[in-house]
Amino acid sequence: MTTARKNLANAIRALSMDAVQQANSGHPGAPMGMADIAEVLWNDFLKHNPNDPAWPDRDRFVLSNGHGSMLIYSLLHLSGYDLPIEELKRFRQLHSKTPGHPEYGYTPGVETTTGPLGAGIANAVGMAIAEQTLAAHFNRDQFNIVDHFTYCFLGDGCLMEGISHEACSLAGTLGLGKLIAFWDDNGISIDGHVEGWFTDNTPARFKAYQWHVIEHVDGHNPEEIRAAIAQAQTVTDKPTLICCKTTIGFGSPNKAGSHDCHGAPLGKDEIAASREFLNWPHAPFEVPDDVYKGWDAREPGARSQSQWQHLFQEYQQLYPELGAEFQRRVIERALPDSFAEKADLFINICQQQGQHIASRKASQNTIEVFASMLPELMGGSADLAGSNLTLWSGSKGISKDDADGNYVYYGVREFGMSAIMNGISLHGGFIHYGATFLMFMEYARNAVRMSALMGIQNIFVYTHDSIGQGEDGPTHQPVEQLANLRMTPNLHTWRPCDTVETAVAWKAAIQRQDGPSALIFSRQNLDHQSRDTQQVENIAKGGYILTDCDGEPEIILIATGSEMSVANQAAQLLNEADHKVRVVSMPCTNVFDQQSKSYKEHVLPKQVKTIVAIEAAHVDYWHKYVGSYGKVIGMAQFGESAPGADLLKHFGFTTENVINTVIDLKQQNMAL
């Protein structure tokens, strides 16, 4: 290895230890240990253009061990991205472009938010699925307009997390040959040497997953690293794991190889000693011009992108329809011009038909119509397709032998599915929906949160939405999950009450590009609700007046999903008894909260004190709407195992209980 190449890697080490020291916070060990691997990958193999971080056919790079964030910040800065040295000096400071863990949208060149260990490798699997499937959709002879690798760095912590098993097992089954992962085998985690708690035979594990495994690579020997990557690129029918033996904190004379450099600054004295050891006689944050020149990827990146652009222009001439579709789906990420109009037509048909079916079936009917308009719509389910009803007549499973499909059979992998969905969305070219029971959102919770945090489009489909599913019992009956989802910032959670609201929810989720949506559907049949044209339009506002009384209301009932019928029946009887009752449907509280003050006041006027919310979910969420004078008919305990109708009656979701609650509450409020 030449001195010049050593200095390229040492620049990463110096910037990483300087930034962590200045912030007095961070993880210098991983960047220093993986610097040699990163230098070879980025300078000899990675296809990217710092001037255009969103170039569609760039290679993707994911730092799954995201605590080592100064590694990727150093790489981005050195190779020419819009990440000036001042931002590295502001590592982990408020509003800097160098947050504590890599965050999508903050830093140009960061492909995904990584922090929760194992999530990054799952995201990388999703990106590789998207690349493989998109290539099958668009590539033609001599025109491989989709042809890039997904590279992922991961550490022992990522491999200990169960999500790595879920995602990597599926990656092997699908034969994702463009996925190359680098295991930073340094034997250290926060608590010390990992042999006390992590003795897996990792190469054997990945061979069992049907990965190509390259063992015993010296992570500080550029020639071995280079040979391993070159070999990995030739294996097209399997993902590859390159096992790199490294020393954490390489270059630190006294702390390398120990957990002392994992999650804390090296200290000024040790940094000085490291500079001497590495023969790096430069001041903090000082990088020599020749090192910058050695790293600069702007010119070769622009050249690679120009070559691709020329290929794509020829492709557009030979395949104009495919070229236009690629431009729309991948480059512009736009829906077909006719989608909104056709979706509205279907919504109006649903209103006219008035079907009495479960909302999960209404969801399947909607998918059938919308998917025929949207070739980018990709589906999936965690081994529950027959229960979630996520398949439509045009569904075709993606497989190792045939990637030209639009549906992922995820198996029982709720967490892996959701994190893989994040990777597919981040890659681009698809709108992805993935399904499981609402109860098992708990397995996937972190990935759902990460989708909302990143502000990326995903459609999480959750069926079997309440105690109303019955006999499976409390292990399968969600209670607190709806509140959990609704309280997640930037997540739109829809619980429709019939076929019409279901179609509107799907339309909203498909049109939304700045965050994910959760669609909550019932197992049991739901009554159709009568509406006029304006009411149908108002569904998209998240909450609206479904039925009203003559004059100003004295009582308001709020309901969602299957409880809407109970609310309407109670309102009808109360109005007949001269109580002025309004029924408000609130399919998406998150969207309703975003409406104007005047609209919200119109739907829920402040002068009405007697407000009752009715939902077979946790009571606490609804107090923000009913206020101190209102009441919630909901769940404050787990369910039971019994037929669904019996459970709903047992827990008070009956017309009689609603009426009694309203009358008692009205009397109490009148006495105040």
Side-chain angles (χ1 to χ4, degrees):
M1 183 179 185
T2 66
T3 300
R5 293 297 293 258
K6 285 183 180 179
N7 283 338
L8 297 184
N10 286 339
I12 296 173
R13 296 184 171 102
L15 289 172
S16 298
M17 63 187 182
D18 288 343
V20 171
Q21 184 67 32
Q22 180 147 309
N24 196 29
S25 175
H27 300 72
M32 296 175 74
M34 298 195 79
D36 297 309
I37 307 169
E39 190 276 319
V40 172
L41 174 63
W42 278 60
N43 283 320
D44 294 349
F45 293 93
L46 194 71
K47 181 176 67 172
H48 65 122
N49 183 5
N51 291 316
D52 186 2
W55 167 34
D57 201 42
R58 69 194 182 278
D59 290 337
R60 270 57 169 184
F61 175 77
V62 175
L63 184 69
S64 188
N65 43 346
H67 54 273
S69 56
M70 271 309 305
L71 174 62
I72 194 169
Y73 298 149
S74 300
L75 290 165
L76 294 170
H77 167 72
L78 291 166
S79 60
Y81 285 79
D82 183 17
L83 191 67
I85 194 69
E86 288 75 18
E87 292 293 340
L88 273 64
K89 293 177 181 179
R90 298 182 61 237
F91 178 54
R92 292 194 162 210
Q93 304 309 301
L94 184 63
H95 302 315
S96 76
K97 291 184 179 180
T98 50
H101 291 79
E103 292 191 34
Y104 176 74
Y106 274 64
T107 316
V110 168
E111 300 282 3
T112 180
T113 298
T114 53
L117 291 177
I121 180 61
N123 296 163
V125 170
M127 293 175 187
I129 289 174
E131 191 277 339
Q132 182 168 284
T133 307
L134 207 64
H137 286 189
F138 285 102
N139 286 355
R140 295 297 182 266
D141 289 342
Q142 310 302 317
F143 289 94
N144 291 334
I145 61 169
V146 181
D147 186 14
H148 52 266
F149 288 91
T150 300
Y151 298 102
C152 181
F153 283 6
L154 67 158
D156 291 322
C158 296
L159 293 172
M160 285 186 246
E161 291 285 0
I163 188 175
S164 69
H165 163 68
E166 295 184 27
C168 294
S169 169
L170 184 62
T173 298
L174 294 179
L176 302 178
K178 292 290 188 69
L179 174 62
I180 300 175
F182 298 78
W183 170 32
D184 181 27
D185 180 15
N186 61 38
I188 297 292
S189 64
I190 290 177
D191 282 350
H193 293 272
V194 300
E195 61 261 23
W197 47 87
F198 184 55
T199 57
D200 297 12
N201 186 334
T202 297
R205 168 186 165 187
F206 276 77
K207 288 175 184 177
Y209 291 153
Q210 302 177 62
W211 283 51
H212 175 61
V213 178
I214 303 174
E215 299 184 59
H216 310 302
V217 175
D218 182 348
H220 303 297
N221 184 321
E223 294 307 318
E224 288 191 24
I225 298 164
R226 191 172 295 110
I229 298 172
Q231 181 190 143
Q233 289 187 339
T234 66
V235 179
T236 59
D237 62 341
K238 294 180 179 181
T240 295
L241 178 70
I242 302 176
C243 305
C244 300
K245 193 65 181 176
T246 65
T247 300
I248 191 171
F250 183 92
S252 170
N254 301 302
K255 295 187 177 182
S258 78
H259 67 282
D260 292 337
C261 63
H262 184 288
L266 295 181
K268 292 182 179 180
D269 292 343
E270 186 64 15
I271 288 177
S274 300
R275 277 184 151 76
E276 183 176 352
F277 180 86
L278 295 170
N279 193 24
W280 186 264
H282 311 291
F285 298 104
E286 180 183 313
V287 179
D289 289 343
D290 64 320
V291 173
Y292 273 126
K293 184 177 180 180
W295 271 107
D296 195 344
R298 288 171 292 186
E299 184 178 333
R303 191 163 52 247
S304 294
Q305 184 170 356
S306 177
Q307 292 170 354
W308 178 85
Q309 191 65 46
H310 179 72
L311 179 71
F312 182 56
Q313 288 171 353
E314 291 185 7
Y315 176 88
Q316 288 175 302
Q317 293 173 0
L318 283 173
Y319 306 101
E321 291 184 4
L322 282 172
E325 191 71 358
F326 188 89
Q327 180 77 25
R328 178 187 71 79
R329 280 176 54 178
V330 182
I331 298 175
E332 298 175 2
R333 297 196 179 198
L335 293 171
D337 292 337
S338 61
F339 173 74
E341 181 181 352
K342 290 181 178 179
D344 287 340
L345 179 62
F346 174 71
I347 290 166
N348 289 327
I349 291 173
C350 290
Q351 184 62 48
Q352 294 165 11
Q353 288 179 337
Q355 290 181 300
H356 175 80
I357 56 176
S359 55
R360 63 171 176 165
K361 181 59 180 176
S363 169
Q364 186 180 44
N365 293 344
T366 304
I367 295 171
E368 182 73 35
V369 173
F370 288 2
S372 65
M373 301 183 244
L374 301 169
E376 64 264 46
L377 196 61
M378 176 187 285
S381 175
D383 202 49
L384 288 169
S387 295
N388 299 146
L389 302 186
T390 46
L391 293 168
W392 63 289
S393 62
S395 291
K396 178 184 176 182
I398 296 164
S399 70
K400 179 178 181 178
D401 297 324
D402 185 2
D404 188 17
N406 58 9
Y407 194 89
V408 182
Y409 288 93
Y410 280 103
V412 187
R413 300 182 177 99
E414 296 88 356
F415 192 5
M417 172 183 74
S418 303
I420 288 169
M421 289 171 63
N422 289 343
I424 292 172
S425 177
L426 288 161
H427 180 279
F430 297 97
I431 298 172
H432 197 15
Y433 65 90
T436 186
F437 289 168
L438 176 56
M439 186 64 246
F440 301 135
M441 178 278 296
E442 295 289 354
Y443 284 127
R445 172 72 188 129
N446 188 267
V448 176
R449 181 178 186 271
M450 296 301 289
S451 184
L453 178 65
M454 288 189 278
I456 58 176
Q457 183 178 31
N458 270 317
I459 303 174
F460 299 107
V461 175
Y462 300 122
T463 68
H464 296 59
D465 65 344
S466 74
I467 59 169
Q469 69 167 290
E471 292 87 348
D472 279 341
T475 61
H476 283 55
Q477 294 166 5
V479 172
E480 71 275 26
Q481 285 67 38
L482 269 170
N484 188 320
L485 291 169
R486 286 169 175 151
M487 289 189 294
T488 301
N490 200 39
L491 175 65
H492 290 179
T493 300
W494 293 81
R495 187 178 185 238
C497 74
D498 67 358
T499 59
V500 182
E501 288 190 357
T502 297
V504 171
W506 264 105
K507 179 192 173 190
I510 287 170
Q511 289 182 317
R512 186 181 187 217
Q513 292 188 329
D514 61 354
S517 302
L519 308 185
I520 316 299
F521 299 128
S522 72
R523 177 189 184 187
Q524 68 270 34
N525 289 342
L526 305 181
D527 293 332
H528 171 72
Q529 305 299 330
S530 299
R531 298 177 188 84
D532 61 27
T533 302
Q534 187 59 59
Q535 287 173 309
V536 172
E537 291 181 5
N538 285 343
I539 296 171
K541 296 180 179 179
Y544 64 102
I545 301 169
L546 180 61
T547 60
D548 215 352
C549 56
D550 294 330
E552 295 298 319
E554 301 172 340
I555 300 163
I556 296 177
L557 303 180
I558 306 173
T560 75
S562 55
E563 291 73 71
M564 184 57 66
S565 294
V566 175
N568 267 333
Q569 292 164 10
Q572 181 179 347
L573 294 173
L574 286 165
N575 279 321
E576 289 173 358
D578 294 327
H579 298 280
K580 293 183 179 297
V581 183
R582 168 180 292 178
V583 177
V584 171
S585 177
M586 192 86 74
C588 186
T589 62
N590 312 101
V591 172
F592 178 75
D593 289 346
Q594 296 172 1
Q595 302 306 309
S596 67
K597 290 180 66 175
S598 60
Y599 179 77
K600 290 185 284 188
E601 172 66 18
H602 168 68
V603 175
L604 298 175
K606 290 185 177 63
Q607 68 268 22
V608 179
K609 304 300 182 185
T610 304
I611 304 178
V612 176
I614 310 153
E615 186 179 62
H618 204 283
V619 296
D620 283 359
Y621 181 82
W622 288 100
H623 289 297
K624 62 186 285 189
Y625 299 104
V626 304
S628 57
Y629 297 98
K631 190 172 180 60
V632 181
I633 298 175
M635 298 294 294
Q637 65 187 85
F638 296 120
E640 299 281 353
S641 181
D646 292 348
L647 287 178
L648 291 169
K649 180 178 180 180
H650 174 73
F651 286 107
F653 298 100
T654 64
T655 303
E656 180 183 11
N657 185 49
V658 172
I659 291 172
N660 290 338
T661 300
V662 167
I663 292 174
D664 289 346
L665 184 62
K666 184 178 180 182
Q667 291 174 347
Q668 292 174 20
N669 290 339
M670 289 176 63
L672 294 176

